[in-house]
Amino acid sequence: MSELSYKTEANKWIEALPIGNGKTGAMLFGSFTKERIAVNDGTLWSGYPKQNDNPESLDNLEKARELLRQGKYKKADVLIKDKMKGGYSESYLPLGDIFISYDGANGNDYERKLSLDNAIFSARNDNVTVEAFANFPSDVIAYKINAKTPISCVITLSSQMPSSTVFDGTFCLIGRAPDEVVPNYVFNAKNPIKYDEDKGMAFCLALEVETSGKKESFNDKIKVENANEIILYFASATGFIDSYSMPITDKEIVKNKAKAKLVNLCYDKLKKEHIADYQAIYQRQSVKISNTSGKSSLQLLNDAKNGDVSSELIETFYNFGKYLLIAGSRQGGQALTLQGLWNEDIRPAWSSNYTVNINTEMNYWPSIRCNLVESVEPFINLVYELIKTGEHTAKVNYGVKGFCCNHNVDIWRKTSPAVGACNFMFEPLCGAWLANEAYEHYKNGKLSQYEDKIKAVVTKTAEFLVSYLVKEEGYYIITPSTSPEAVFRHNLINCNVSVATAFDMAVTRQALTNYLEIDDKSAFSKEVAEKLNALYPIKVGRSGISEFYDDKKIIDKGHRHFSPLYAFYPSSLIGYYKNPTMREAVRKLFNERISHSKNHIGWSAGWGICLASRLRDGKTASDIIKSLFKNSVFDNLFDAHFPSIFQIDGNFGFVAGINESLLTVEDGVIEFLPAEIKYFDSGVVKGMVVNGVTIDFEFSNYVVTKITTTDSIRVVNKNIAQNCVFEGNIKLEERE
């Protein structure tokens, strides 16, 4: 199914439906009493470029390493927390709201929908219809109201930030963002939202209204009377220039930027252009695994919450994930935050920033496989732009070359540590993880247009790691070293910092391997190869893969992060076929995490489906899918982080997990249907991309019956029908 549908209007933000063009987004409530359109601009953040790097960190780095050599983990923990910290990231902000207060628009037989096929929102009753879309080429959102009998309305604009409205031929909301927003998890902040420096960027929401009725415009509202048709066109602008420049604070300049988008407007032309632009991307790839039951998306979700998961819901949730990736991330825009393009709060959960110890990476896992190359560019640009700030952090905080990044990033490309517990504050290899992901997108999508940026990212990452590695007892290790958000027990004391965690060593190994793929002849490549060959290996312990050095015992056996399994997924350093012993160690730790998990947080569930699918464990993948829909999905199909926080990463992790269950790759060899998801056994897949090759295939009863490919591929001879139809150069290979 390719639509979301509801019989009631949204009463709160998390029930509304999202539209977006990768730059400007909106949440639509669909009310015919007082409609709310909550608008976001992807460049509207608090703050300005600041220097959070800490010279005191370098002064204490060797002290921390010596404490770790002595096994004094807690003392190292305290030292790093106190002396090697940085600052908080800034926050992604909501722009403002458009309110439409209606007179005469009420009616019966209500319905609101979001079409995933054409990216159009609609709402109707037996008197009034509405449709809205976010046009990418013009960066304009259009909202059209048609009424059988004439209606009237009052349109107002507002923001949670200090702002004003003015009509100077265009109705505009103008204001300025805070200089600083302290994260919502800092409960003792006396002044968490600060405007005292007047350095925050200016912003504007500009609105034009066309109508068949009478229109009166004032500085605080627009009144429309006796209209059968009303069209709202709106656009946004901010003072953001780039990640390293002070933003524009002059509201008049930014107002003119927004108004300039609202010229030569024609609804039908914008709509036609929007549909053609969107469908050219969305329709390249598809997964069809269900028939239409006639049930709404909400009915399907409610069935799943009661234990009855359907293939139709899986297909709808999959399509919604694709839709969100296109709507939230396009060329010229910013990368997807924790909430993508959509956020309601001035102090959103975790600042709605780029949390790069899993969440930002997961946002883009499905992009290339789903043939959504246009959505990848903001992510690649994000990683590339981190080089400048990350080089400074590497030099000041750690005294080494290259670029690094810790776990919280914002639009100003913050790369320093945050403040707080070391298991999330101190993670300088998050930059290497980002670089590894960017390189995988480049390689798998054959994105030659980004070659220079990718090579720079890979090279600067290798420079950092080669300089940062320490040789101890014959091995090169990362020290200090953490496993994202995990805590271990040592001498009956909880600790966060160790050496050579499975996560850090796997990320390092992958990053250095990537570098040698782009350069295996220079003098530097010889140093990279030497250290790669002498890296401390991933170890096997009591519970499978040993997360911490010396097999330290993790406190939470059901921990939501699968970081120690990074080498298996998203990396493929450990292969299902090529490393059977390590594969089973992965399986053992994975099973322990899953069996002790109290509930499957959305993003963790997405990662779990990916891991289970690569482990060829369809039962566990199916169980996680069931738990995900029961515990971690809002009625509007946004992913829920326990207990009730919107995070968009789970939407994308799910798509990646379904992709992995349909098709997995090891050493360039494709295996179809590695995991038998019990909720579907037949389907048609079109346009899936693997190593730059586009593949279509059909399957029935978990057996592939037809494969079509644009180039030569190698395929594991499993789950392939004897009479399978091959269209293209397809070579079957045996695997045990």
Side-chain angles (χ1 to χ4, degrees):
M1 186 168 70
S2 288
E3 72 174 21
L4 279 59
S5 60
Y6 304 85
K7 292 296 184 180
T8 60
E9 65 186 49
N11 291 313
K12 49 190 177 181
W13 190 92
I14 202 60
E15 296 173 353
L17 294 172
I19 60 173
N21 57 25
K23 298 177 182 178
T24 308
M27 296 290 286
L28 307 174
F29 286 60
S31 172
F32 290 126
T33 303
K34 187 174 184 179
E35 170 68 312
R36 176 187 174 193
I37 305 170
V39 184
N40 288 103
D41 184 299
T43 60
L44 183 56
W45 288 68
S46 62
Y48 51 86
K50 299 174 184 175
Q51 185 51 257
N52 288 311
D53 293 327
N54 179 9
E56 193 177 22
S57 175
L58 179 56
D59 295 339
N60 287 278
L61 179 57
E62 287 305 321
K63 295 177 185 178
R65 285 172 172 167
E66 183 56 33
L67 288 171
L68 291 167
R69 289 186 190 101
Q70 297 172 18
K72 297 177 180 179
Y73 298 105
K74 190 61 181 180
K75 287 188 176 181
D77 198 337
V78 173
L79 178 69
I80 293 170
K81 181 180 178 182
D82 291 345
K83 302 296 184 181
M84 300 176 69
K85 62 187 175 183
Y88 297 117
S89 76
E90 292 297 342
S91 295
Y92 178 52
L93 303 173
L95 177 64
D97 294 314
I98 302 171
F99 289 104
I100 307 171
S101 298
Y102 285 103
D103 181 11
N106 289 332
N108 300 313
D109 193 26
Y110 178 89
E111 185 175 46
R112 64 186 169 103
K113 293 182 178 182
L114 176 63
S115 168
L116 307 179
D117 281 330
N118 58 24
I120 291 179
F121 166 89
S122 62
R124 65 161 184 84
N125 58 31
D126 54 9
N127 181 33
V128 180
T129 62
V130 160
E131 68 175 16
F133 55 86
N135 178 291
F136 170 76
S138 66
D139 191 18
V140 169
I141 296 180
Y143 187 99
K144 183 178 182 180
I145 307 162
N146 284 107
K148 294 179 181 177
T149 58
I151 62 172
S152 300
C153 69
V154 176
I155 302 167
T156 56
L157 305 176
S158 70
S159 173
Q160 298 177 57
M161 294 173 284
S163 59
S164 60
T165 57
V166 62
F167 180 79
D168 61 355
T170 302
F171 192 27
C172 294
L173 171 75
I174 53 176
R176 190 177 293 137
D179 302 305
E180 181 183 1
V181 174
V182 178
N184 72 317
Y185 54 81
V186 181
F187 301 109
N188 60 353
K190 293 181 180 179
N191 185 19
I193 305 172
K194 301 176 182 178
Y195 294 90
D196 51 343
E197 296 178 301
D198 291 330
K199 294 180 180 178
M201 67 176 70
F203 63 83
C204 176
L205 174 60
L207 173 68
E208 293 277 5
V209 177
E210 294 179 357
T211 179
S212 62
K214 179 183 177 183
K215 182 178 74 171
E216 290 185 276
S217 299
F218 306 88
N219 279 335
D220 62 344
K221 60 182 175 288
I222 293 177
K223 292 177 64 176
V224 177
E225 295 180 347
N226 298 318
N228 293 100
E229 182 177 274
I230 306 168
I231 304 176
L232 283 66
Y233 302 101
F234 55 95
S236 65
T238 76
F240 178 76
I241 299 172
D242 59 49
S243 295
Y244 321 117
S245 302
M246 289 298 295
I248 298 168
T249 58
D250 188 319
K251 290 179 278 191
E252 192 69 20
I253 292 174
V254 172
K255 183 182 73 170
N256 290 333
K257 284 174 60 180
K259 288 174 58 177
K261 299 178 184 180
L262 300 177
V263 295
N264 299 321
L265 300 171
C266 171
Y267 186 86
D268 290 340
K269 180 180 178 182
L270 284 172
K271 181 179 177 181
K272 182 179 179 181
E273 183 181 60
H274 159 72
I275 292 173
D277 170 74
Y278 172 80
Q279 289 185 343
I281 304 170
Y282 181 80
Q283 292 181 350
R284 281 197 212 116
Q285 185 264 354
S286 63
V287 171
K288 181 65 177 175
I289 55 173
S290 73
N291 296 314
T292 301
S293 66
K295 292 185 176 182
S296 70
S297 55
L298 183 58
Q299 288 173 315
L300 294 172
L301 180 61
N302 287 335
D303 287 347
K305 289 183 183 297
N306 291 318
D308 184 15
V309 177
S310 65
S311 59
E312 190 173 9
L313 177 61
I314 291 174
E315 184 180 310
T316 303
F317 199 54
Y318 182 97
N319 288 335
F320 185 55
K322 281 180 53 184
Y323 166 84
L324 291 174
L325 194 49
I326 301 169
S329 184
R330 291 288 299 273
Q331 307 101 312
Q334 295 295 311
L336 295 154
T337 73
L338 272 177
Q339 298 185 179
L341 190 58
W342 303 274
N343 165 44
E344 182 183 29
D345 301 312
I346 295 290
R347 294 182 75 196
W350 302 290
S351 302
S352 190
N353 63 14
Y354 302 112
T355 305
V356 295
N357 66 359
I358 173 57
N359 313 93
T360 303
E361 291 88 347
M362 181 178 286
N363 283 349
Y364 289 91
W365 280 355
S367 54
I368 295 301
R369 191 71 63 86
C370 287
N371 216 335
L372 303 179
V373 62
E374 290 86 352
S375 294
V376 180
E377 182 178 290
F379 176 77
I380 291 175
N381 285 340
L382 166 68
V383 183
Y384 179 73
E385 289 165 5
L386 287 171
I387 290 177
K388 184 174 181 178
T389 48
E391 283 185 311
H392 194 268
T393 298
K395 180 180 179 180
V396 173
N397 285 34
Y398 311 120
V400 297
K401 299 177 181 179
F403 113 94
C404 71
C405 171
N406 287 269
H407 100 296
N408 274 353
V409 173
D410 55 26
I411 200 168
W412 312 113
R413 304 314 184 227
K414 174 189 180 296
T415 51
S416 63
V419 180
C422 296
N423 60 349
F424 67 86
M425 176 272 280
F426 187 83
E427 292 178 2
L429 263 66
C430 285
W433 189 354
L434 287 169
N436 291 348
E437 293 290 334
Y439 182 70
E440 281 301 304
H441 292 311
Y442 162 76
K443 187 169 65 173
N444 293 331
K446 294 190 175 180
L447 307 179
S448 59
Q449 64 269 41
Y450 304 115
E451 181 176 359
D452 291 344
K453 290 182 177 180
I454 294 299
K455 286 187 175 180
V457 166
V458 171
T459 300
K460 291 296 181 181
T461 299
E463 287 177 359
F464 170 75
L465 293 170
V466 164
S467 303
Y468 190 70
L469 285 164
V470 175
K471 194 168 189 178
E472 294 190 4
E473 298 181 4
Y475 290 109
Y476 285 102
I477 65 169
I478 297 295
T479 175
S481 183
T482 57
S483 191
E485 302 182 29
V487 179
F488 65 92
R489 184 70 57 85
H490 176 69
N491 292 339
L492 303 179
I493 299 174
N494 291 353
C495 303
N496 298 287
V497 181
S498 179
V499 302
T501 62
F503 169 75
D504 275 350
M505 298 314 300
V507 168
T508 300
R509 187 175 296 276
Q510 184 65 68
L512 297 184
T513 300
N514 292 345
Y515 179 79
L516 292 179
E517 288 185 3
I518 67 170
D519 172 22
D520 62 356
K521 295 180 180 179
S522 70
F524 180 60
S525 70
K526 294 178 181 177
E527 185 179 4
V528 170
E530 179 223 332
K531 293 192 174 180
L532 175 61
N533 292 332
L535 284 181
Y536 184 79
I538 298 172
K539 296 283 190 175
V540 178
R542 292 164 292 178
S543 299
I545 295 295
S546 181
E547 183 165 9
F548 288 98
Y549 180 78
D550 202 23
D551 203 27
K552 295 290 190 299
K553 183 180 180 182
I554 188 171
I555 299 301
D556 181 4
K557 290 185 178 181
H559 198 266
R560 60 195 178 278
H561 276 264
F562 294 106
S563 307
L565 306 182
Y566 171 89
F568 188 70
Y569 190 99
S571 175
S572 56
L573 292 168
I574 297 174
Y576 183 86
Y577 291 109
K578 68 182 177 183
N579 308 108
T581 300
M582 295 299 289
R583 173 195 72 206
E584 293 310 307
V586 167
R587 189 189 305 277
K588 186 174 182 179
L589 181 57
F590 176 67
N591 287 342
E592 179 177 276
R593 290 271 161 104
I594 292 297
S595 64
H596 287 88
S597 178
K598 298 180 181 65
N599 54 66
H600 292 296
I601 292 170
W603 63 262
S604 181
W607 200 348
I609 298 166
C610 292
L611 282 162
S613 296
R614 191 165 284 189
L615 283 166
R616 281 66 170 173
D617 185 354
K619 180 183 183 305
T620 297
S622 300
D623 290 345
I624 297 173
I625 290 170
K626 182 177 181 180
S627 178
L628 170 70
F629 285 127
K630 181 177 181 180
N631 299 305
S632 299
V633 180
F634 290 110
D635 286 353
N636 69 349
L637 297 193
F638 270 164
D639 165 60
H641 185 292
F642 181 83
S644 59
I645 300 169
F646 164 48
Q647 273 191 211
I648 204 167
D649 36 39
N651 288 101
F652 302 127
F654 178 87
V655 177
I658 296 301
N659 284 345
E660 197 69 23
S661 77
L662 293 168
L663 182 159
T664 192
V665 184
E666 181 177 334
D667 292 335
V669 183
I670 297 166
E671 183 172 342
F672 290 101
L673 308 178
E676 295 184 1
I677 306 297
K678 72 177 183 179
Y679 305 115
F680 60 88
D681 63 4
S682 302
V684 178
V685 178
K686 293 184 178 180
M688 197 165 276
V689 174
V690 179
N691 297 329
V693 180
T694 303
I695 300 169
D696 303 342
F697 64 97
E698 300 175 14
F699 62 101
S700 179
N701 296 318
Y702 301 117
V703 175
V704 175
T705 57
K706 183 178 180 180
I707 304 172
T708 304
T709 175
T710 58
D711 205 341
S712 59
I713 60 172
R714 297 154 62 201
V715 175
V716 176
N717 191 16
K718 290 185 177 181
N719 308 319
I720 306 293
Q722 287 188 344
N723 60 346
C724 181
V725 177
F726 294 150
E727 295 182 353
N729 186 356
I730 301 165
K731 180 182 178 182
L732 295 181
E733 299 185 9
E734 302 297 328
R735 289 287 188 276
E736 294 296 334

